[in-house]
Amino acid sequence: MPDYQAILEEIHAKVVAERPEGRVASYIPGLAKIHPDLFGMHLLTAEGEEFSVGDSDETFSIQSITKVLLISMVLSTQGRKIWSRVGVEPSGDPFNSLVQLEHERGIPRNPFINSGALVVCDFLMSLYDDPLSEFLNFVRRISGVPDISFDRFVAKSERKVAYRNLAMLNFMKDFGNIHNDIIAVIDFYCAVCSIRMSCGELARTFALFMNHGKLGNGEQILSVRRAKRINALMLTCGFYDESGEFAFRVGLPGKSGVGGGIAAVNPGKYSVAVWSPPLNEKGNSAAGCLALELLTDITGTSIF
Ligand code: DON
């Protein structure tokens, strides 16, 4: 097995020296004040060994990474019904783009762009009286951390300026693809995006996708086939209009969030989470992408 601890330390030193250019997300005021120099990385192997560097125990807002857990919850309970309401193709557009929705009659391209995740939220809202508690319980079960919760301050701050996401909800409601009250859907969406986790917690949560849908205790949460599909979606859509570049440079299924986090997996080998708040122009953590590129280059462990 590679000496992952030494490799994470080498990556940390290289990322600090290189300081790839990026800017902390400011369109959600609650995220804007985070210190740009924070950096953490945590890797968990399939054998259960864990390695970390930097601020890997600090919690941060997972933002769009939550979208992987939302679709996982849907697939673990309701199966394929969701696929008539959201597609599985990369969008080639930014995460908050509205342009394809009109041509494609309110059916988002995939569950990881904002419009797609809003439909998935709406789907969950139709299933449960208290979808937020149900979702938090699902995330607590997957992560093994009983006190995982959302950040009321960040959720409220996003909710106040959620004009674009509300525009998407209105538009999709007009096409009949949103079934619940749009205000209730946006409240649920902002809450689930604000969930806080550390790199360690995130790597342990994404172990589900490294382990072909199985938890560490052997419980099969997702079928092997559905876990495969989620990994395929992460590879093709996890980084929006930078998904091709991420596959090219890193070569792992993964998902980013505007809080600066990225979770990625090498199925059967490891689950890894990295966090650095400054984002590149595509909205993905600049240092996070570099760190993962170094990881797969140094260890020769991309999926390709
Ligand atoms: O809806 C939004 O804009 C945010 N709550 C999530 C966006 C996000 O994390 C995009 N990821 N890189």
Side-chain angles (χ1 to χ4, degrees), residues 83 86-94 100 104 107-113 115-116 229 232-241 243:
W83 300 126
V86 61
V88 295
E89 293 296 342
S91 69
D93 277 319
Q100 286 166 343
E104 296 173 6
I107 308 286
R109 275 281 172 109
N110 67 67
F112 296 160
I113 47 176
S115 52
R229 291 179 165 176
L233 281 170
M234 282 200 263
L235 186 83
T236 53
C237 313
F239 298 83
Y240 317 107
D241 47 341
S243 298

Side-chain angles (χ1 to χ4, degrees), residues 27-28 62-65 67 95-96 114 158 165 189 193 240 255-259 282-284:
Y27 77 101
I28 299 176
I62 67 170
Q63 291 297 321
S64 283
I65 301 171
K67 295 168 179 172
F95 62 87
N96 57 3
N114 287 7
E158 176 169 20
N165 287 333
Y189 173 85
C193 284
Y240 317 107
K255 184 75 205 80
S256 62
V258 289
K282 301 288 170 81
N284 302 313

Side-chain angles (χ1 to χ4, degrees), residues 42-46 48-51 203-204 207 210 269-272:
H42 189 107
L43 185 144
L44 163 70
T45 67
E49 285 190 83
E50 305 201 36
F51 308 90
R204 279 176 230 124
M210 156 180 81
K269 275 207 179 76
Y270 58 73
S271 165
V272 59

Side-chain angles (χ1 to χ4, degrees), residues 18 20 41 43-44 46 50 53 66 76 78 98 105 111-112 123 178 195-196 198 207 242 252 255 268 274-275:
E18 215 163 299
M41 192 165 182
L43 185 144
L44 163 70
E50 305 201 36
V53 280
T66 208
S76 75
Q78 292 293 308
L98 282 133
R105 308 197 58 76
F112 296 160
F123 190 92
I178 293 293
I195 286 177
R196 297 186 74 86
S198 66
E242 200 176 28
L252 296 176
K255 184 75 205 80
V274 58
W275 173 54

